[in-house]
Amino acid sequence: MRVSASRVVVALAVAIVAVVAWQRWPASPPKWTPVEVAMLRSLWIESLPELPPDPSNAVADSTIAAKFGEQLFFDTRLSSNGGISCATCHQPERRFTDGLQKGQAIGTTDRHTPSIVGTAYSPWQYWDGRRDSQWSQALVPLEDPDEHGTDRAQVVNLIAQDETYRATYESLFGELPDPASSDRVMLNTAFANIGKSIAAFERMVMPTPSRFDEYVRAVVEQDAGSQQRLFDDDEVRGLKLFIGEANCTQCHNGPLFTNHEFHNTGVISFPGDVPDKARVAGVREVLRSEFNCLGIYSDDVEHRCAELRFTRTGSTLTGAVKTPSLRNLENTAPFMHKGQILTIAEVLQHYNEAPDAMIGHNEAKPLGFGIRELHQLEVFLGTLAAPVAGLSGADGILVEN
Amino acid sequence: MIVHRIACCCLFFCLCVVFSQQNALAHGGVVEEDDLCVIKVNYLRAHFKVYQPRATGHEQYCEDLPSASESIFVMEYQHDSLSQMPIDFRIIHDVTGKGRFARLEDVYKIADIDSATVFYQPPVIEPDVYAVNYEFIEEGDFIGIVSARDPETGKLYAAVFPFEVGFTGFGYWPIFAGLLVLIQIHYLYMSGRLKRWYGKSSTIVTGFAICLLLAPPVSFAGDVVVTYTTPDGDPQLNRMHSWILHIENESGTEVEGATVEVEGGMPEHDHGLPTKPRVTEELGGGDYKLEGMRFHMSGYWEIVVSVTTDDGTSIVIIPLRL
C-alpha cells in the first residue's frame, strides 16, 4: 500500500510539473503561412487605398468646405433648443460615438450612434444604409425631431444670419437663397450644400496606425524580435483565430475591418422594440431619397452611382445591418446596432453561440470556442486601438495637411 | 410477451390521442407543420413565432408562452399577398369561455371587444415581415386575432389563436413518453427484433449511399459556354467592377441577341451577391458587358448566368474563389 501511494504522489508531481512547464515554456515565434501573411497585409492600414472620390459632392475635397463643415459639426445653434450639435452624439473623444445604447439628443433615437471614423470609404451610411453619401446622411439628423429637431429653412436661415458662415457659403457655392423663399429646389440645394460641407469635414476623420499595424509591418519585414515585443502569445493566437477558425474576416475584412455590407447576425431585439428590419427597409428608403446619388441635388452629373444602380433589394436583407469597423473599439461600448450588447466579451459570446435570428436568417454559424479562445480574440481586438486623425487635440481644430 | 405488447400499444395509443388532440385543438389558426409553426389567415400563410427576449433570449415559441414578460410576435409571410395587405393584430383576454376551443365566431360574438383587449396594433402594411411587441403584465388565457384586408376585394381574412401566458409545459407527459420508449426498446431488444431491424436498415442505408456515389455528377452547364474577362483587373474584395461575358454555343458559334441575367452568391453562407449586377450592353461577337459586380467576402462564390435565346434558356454556373 505504501509503495503504491508514494508512486501516485510521484506521478501527480510529474504531471503537475509537466503541465506548468508546458504552459510556461517560451513559445517559439509564430510561423505565419504565406496565405496568412497575405491576409494580414489585407488588414494592414497601409493597404488602405486612396480615399475614393465622391462625385456627388463637388466640395468633398475642398479645405475651405472642410473647415466650414467642422464649424457646423460643433455648432449647437443647428438645433431647435440651441443645445444639440452633431458632436452631441458623435463625440470626438469617444471616437465619434456617445457611450449610450441609443443616441440621446432632443429625444432618443432609434439606434446606437455609429462612429463616423473612416465612413468616407463606405458606399452606405447608417446601420441600415438608408443614405448613400456622407452629405445626404448629414442632412437627416438636422430634421429629425428626436435629434436636432430643426428644419431646412431654419438651417439655411442660420447661415444667412451669421456673417462669417454666409461669406464662406457664398465663396463655395455662390449666392445663398432667401431662406423664406418658396422655391423648394433652391432651398433644398442650399440645404444639400450645407450637408456637403459637413461631409467634407467628416471625410478627413480617419483611423491611425495601431499596435496591430506595427505588428503586421514586423511580420511583413520578417522581424521576429519586433513581433515578440509587440504581441504577446494570447494576442498572436487571437489574431490567428480572427483570420482563421473564427471566420471574423468573412465580414470584418480589409484595412477598415469592414466590408461595408449588410448582414444578419441574429442579435436580440432591444427592450420595447420589435426586431429591427434594417437593410430591407433601408434600401427602399435610399432608393426613394430625393438626396440620393441619382437625384437632382447630387453633383454626379454623369449619374455613375454604381452602388445605387446595382444595389440588392428584397427579403434576404431582412434584419441585416452594416458591418461596423473593428478599429478603435476601445471607449465605444456598448455595441451592435441598438447597443444591445454591453461588452466585447459578450459580443464574442454571441458569435460563439450564433442563435437563430428573430427575423430573417442568421448568417453566422456557432463557433463553439472555449473561454480561452474567446479571451484570445478579445485581447487581439484590443490591439486595434489608436487615436483618430482629422482633429488635433480636444479643441477640435482641423489638422492642416 | 403478448401482455407486454398489448400494454405498450394501449399506452402508445392513449398518448397519440392526447397529443394529437392538443395539436388540433390548442392552436386555432396556428398549426405546426414540419417543425414549422404556421399561421393560416384564411388561405394566406405565414411562419409564426413568438419570442420572450427578456426572459428566455432567443427561445422560440409557437404559441403558449412561459411567463408574463415582453413578447414579440413575428409573422414571416409565405404568401406574397400579405406583404401588400393592411394587417392588424389584437390580443384579448379569453372572455369567450371556450378556452382552447375558441374560434372566430366566438370572438365575433363578444359585445365589447375593446374592453377585453389588452393590445391592439391598428392596420398597417408591412412589406417585409410583420412584428409586434407587447409586454404581458399578467399570466392567464388570451386570444390572438390577426386580420388582413384584401385591398382589391375589400374582403377581410382573420386567424384566431387561443394561448396561455404562464404556460407550465406538458406536465408529466414527457416522462410518460420517455417511459413508453424505454419499454418499447426493452421489448424489441428482448425479442431480438432490434438486431434484425438494425441489420436490415443498415443494408438499405449503405445501398442508398452507394447509389448516390455512383450517380453521375449533376451538370449545370447547358448548351452554351460562358467565359468572362475582367477589364478592370482581377476582382478585388469590396470593389465595384465590370465583367465582359463571352457566350458561345457548344459548337463554338458566338451567341448574339440573347437575354442574359446574372445572379450569384456564396452557397456555404446561404447568401447572394451584395449587388444586383445587370448586363447593360451587348458588345457584339458574343460579348456582353456585365456591370455592378462586387464581392464582399472572401471564399467560394458561384455566379449563375442565365442565357435566354429563341431556343430557350440555359443556365451556366461560374465557380470563383476569392
Side-chain angles (χ1 to χ4, degrees):
Chain A
M1 272 316 270
R2 251 190 192 177
V3 174
S4 69
S6 70
R7 271 185 189 172
V8 169
V9 171
V10 169
L12 266 177
V14 168
I16 290 167
V17 169
V19 168
V20 170
W22 177 71
Q23 286 207 325
R24 298 277 162 176
W25 209 260
S28 53
K31 297 270 187 291
W32 295 103
T33 65
V35 174
E36 285 175 327
V37 173
M39 176 56 91
L40 294 182
R41 239 180 214 282
S42 75
L43 295 168
W44 194 14
I45 202 160
E46 307 246 332
S47 305
L48 198 61
E50 227 171 87
L51 191 55
D54 179 0
S56 72
N57 180 1
V59 299
D61 298 308
S62 148
T63 315
I64 301 169
K67 287 196 170 179
F68 181 38
E70 185 186 22
Q71 289 172 314
L72 295 170
F73 190 88
F74 291 95
D75 193 335
T76 55
R77 290 176 298 168
L78 285 166
S79 62
S80 61
N81 67 359
I84 305 294
S85 74
C86 306
T88 303
C89 296
H90 299 288
Q91 300 164 14
E93 63 277 17
R94 285 182 185 270
R95 305 180 195 282
F96 293 86
T97 62
D98 57 9
L100 303 168
Q101 288 190 295
K102 288 183 174 183
Q104 287 283 345
I106 287 176
T108 303
T109 64
D110 281 342
R111 296 200 182 99
H112 179 60
T113 305
S115 175
I116 60 172
V117 179
T119 52
Y121 281 92
S122 179
W124 307 107
Q125 306 299 327
Y126 281 115
W127 287 103
D128 58 2
R130 65 183 184 275
R131 288 295 179 273
D132 63 343
S133 62
Q134 286 181 310
W135 67 266
S136 60
Q137 185 283 325
L139 302 175
V140 184
L142 295 170
E143 296 194 303
D144 187 323
D146 286 327
E147 298 186 50
H148 297 245
T150 175
D151 64 41
R152 53 197 77 179
Q154 285 176 45
V155 171
V156 174
N157 194 41
L158 173 76
I159 308 297
Q161 300 297 315
D162 183 307
E163 271 179 41
T164 325
Y165 278 178
R166 188 185 185 112
T168 316
Y169 178 96
E170 294 192 337
S171 76
L172 284 164
F173 305 106
E175 200 189 337
L176 184 75
D178 177 6
S181 149
S182 58
D183 188 324
R184 197 180 58 87
V185 173
M186 276 170 71
L187 182 67
N188 285 354
T189 305
F191 187 50
N193 286 339
I194 290 160
K196 288 171 185 173
S197 304
I198 297 174
F201 160 64
E202 291 180 332
R203 252 172 99 72
M204 307 187 74
V205 180
M206 285 293 155
T208 57
S210 63
R211 186 151 57 87
F212 162 76
D213 298 298
E214 286 179 56
Y215 181 79
V216 177
R217 179 183 298 284
V219 171
V220 169
E221 292 172 358
Q222 299 183 327
D223 175 354
S226 296
Q227 287 181 46
Q228 279 206 314
R229 179 175 52 80
L230 286 161
F231 266 28
D232 68 22
D233 280 1
D234 275 349
E235 287 163 345
V236 171
R237 293 209 175 93
L239 174 55
K240 273 217 189 252
L241 290 170
F242 187 89
I243 63 171
E245 274 176 77
N247 295 326
C248 305
T249 48
Q250 289 296 341
C251 301
H252 296 285
N253 53 37
L256 292 173
F257 286 75
T258 168
N259 58 0
H260 311 293
E261 265 304 324
F262 302 89
H263 300 279
N264 183 338
T265 58
V267 181
I268 205 155
S269 61
F270 188 84
D273 290 358
V274 295
D276 199 329
K277 297 177 186 69
R279 182 58 176 168
V280 72
V283 71
R284 211 175 279 131
E285 188 172 332
V286 70
L287 286 169
R288 64 166 185 252
S289 163
E290 60 184 334
F291 292 113
N292 70 20
C293 178
L294 291 166
I296 58 168
Y297 306 105
S298 160
D299 299 325
D300 186 358
V301 283
E302 291 171 42
H303 287 320
R304 280 163 281 187
C305 311
E307 292 290 348
L308 200 64
R309 279 165 55 222
F310 297 105
T311 192
R312 178 164 288 276
T313 58
S315 62
T316 54
L317 300 167
T318 301
V321 295
K322 198 171 70 181
T323 311
S325 173
L326 297 182
R327 288 194 175 267
N328 305 308
L329 292 175
E330 189 184 51
N331 211 8
T332 65
F335 304 102
M336 316 319 244
H337 58 284
K338 298 215 179 188
Q340 294 101 316
I341 305 185
L342 303 182
T343 64
I344 288 291
E346 289 168 286
V347 171
L348 292 168
Q349 192 55 46
H350 170 78
Y351 286 111
N352 207 31
E353 290 163 12
D356 284 342
M358 296 173 78
I359 58 170
H361 149 79
N362 186 354
E363 294 171 34
K365 307 276 181 290
L367 297 174
F369 283 170
I371 299 167
R372 179 121 197 221
E373 283 104 335
L374 295 177
H375 170 73
Q376 288 164 343
L377 279 168
E378 187 179 352
V379 293
F380 159 65
L381 290 174
T383 69
L384 291 168
V388 172
L391 292 161
S392 65
D395 54 355
I397 304 300
L398 204 68
V399 175
E400 298 260 6
N401 287 322
Chain B
M1 218 44 131
I2 288 178
V3 177
H4 187 149
R5 208 165 161 180
I6 292 170
C8 281
C9 287
C10 287
L11 189 54
F12 187 70
F13 180 73
C14 292
L15 215 60
C16 285
V17 169
V18 169
F19 275 120
S20 66
Q21 270 200 341
Q22 273 199 341
N23 273 343
L25 300 177
H27 292 270
V30 175
V31 290
E32 275 192 71
E33 287 181 359
D34 305 329
D35 286 337
L36 199 67
C37 184
V38 171
I39 186 165
K40 291 178 174 171
V41 187
N42 201 299
Y43 73 97
L44 306 168
R45 300 151 59 90
H47 176 201
F48 185 78
K49 49 189 180 174
V50 193
Y51 293 91
Q52 296 204 309
R54 288 335 119 205
T56 54
H58 285 83
E59 189 76 34
Q60 271 183 39
Y61 303 98
C62 185
E63 197 168 57
D64 290 327
L65 304 172
S67 65
S69 70
E70 181 181 312
S71 306
I72 293 170
F73 296 78
V74 177
M75 287 197 290
E76 291 174 325
Y77 315 132
Q78 292 178 327
H79 199 289
D80 270 353
S81 326
L82 278 172
S83 62
Q84 290 137 34
M85 290 186 181
I87 298 175
D88 71 24
F89 194 102
R90 188 189 289 271
I91 299 171
I92 61 171
H93 282 294
D94 180 12
V95 290
T96 60
K98 298 267 178 94
R100 306 207 162 242
F101 301 89
R103 289 170 186 282
L104 191 58
E105 304 85 82
D106 304 311
V107 172
Y108 283 149
K109 281 181 202 152
I110 301 170
D112 182 7
I113 198 160
D114 285 337
S115 63
T117 299
V118 295
F119 172 79
Y120 182 60
Q121 169 79 50
V124 59
I125 297 175
E126 284 287 358
D128 313 301
V129 55
Y130 188 89
V132 295
N133 182 344
Y134 172 64
E135 183 166 357
F136 286 95
I137 45 176
E138 55 182 338
E139 297 187 346
D141 291 322
F142 296 89
I143 296 176
I145 306 145
V146 176
S147 335
R149 191 178 289 280
D150 189 321
E152 280 165 26
T153 62
K155 206 170 169 197
L156 189 73
Y157 302 113
V160 165
F161 55 98
F163 63 100
E164 187 183 339
V165 174
F167 180 63
T168 46
F170 291 104
Y172 292 108
W173 283 115
I175 296 172
F176 274 113
L179 205 62
L180 181 85
V181 171
L182 277 179
I183 293 170
Q184 190 64 29
I185 289 172
H186 179 73
Y187 165 72
L188 290 172
Y189 182 74
M190 293 301 282
S191 64
R193 283 185 187 200
L194 200 60
K195 259 186 187 162
R196 286 208 299 277
W197 179 81
Y198 177 72
K200 239 186 253 172
S201 69
S202 64
T203 317
I204 294 168
V205 170
T206 316
F208 186 65
I210 289 170
C211 286
L212 271 182
L213 285 172
L214 290 179
V218 181
S219 170
F220 293 102
D223 50 357
V224 297
V225 177
V226 180
T227 52
Y228 71 97
T229 49
T230 49
D232 313 332
D234 282 342
Q236 281 188 10
L237 213 56
N238 302 334
R239 192 161 298 171
M240 191 72 94
H241 63 282
S242 306
W243 283 21
I244 307 290
L245 297 175
H246 181 74
I247 307 176
E248 293 179 358
N249 62 23
E250 274 179 322
S251 57
T253 322
E254 290 147 356
V255 175
E256 298 199 346
T259 307
V260 182
E261 282 172 351
V262 173
E263 274 283 326
M266 296 186 92
E268 289 160 18
H269 296 277
D270 301 336
H271 65 68
L273 282 164
T275 57
K276 209 168 188 172
R278 277 196 310 276
V279 167
T280 50
E281 201 182 340
E282 186 178 345
L283 304 168
D287 284 351
Y288 296 80
K289 186 174 186 190
L290 172 64
E291 283 193 272
M293 289 294 286
R294 182 155 61 77
F295 300 102
H296 61 299
M297 285 184 169
S298 50
Y300 177 67
W301 289 85
E302 283 181 352
I303 305 302
V304 183
V305 184
S306 94
V307 181
T308 307
T309 59
D310 295 339
D311 303 333
T313 300
S314 306
I315 306 280
V316 176
I317 296 185
I318 302 175
L320 185 92
R321 191 166 281 281
L322 215 68

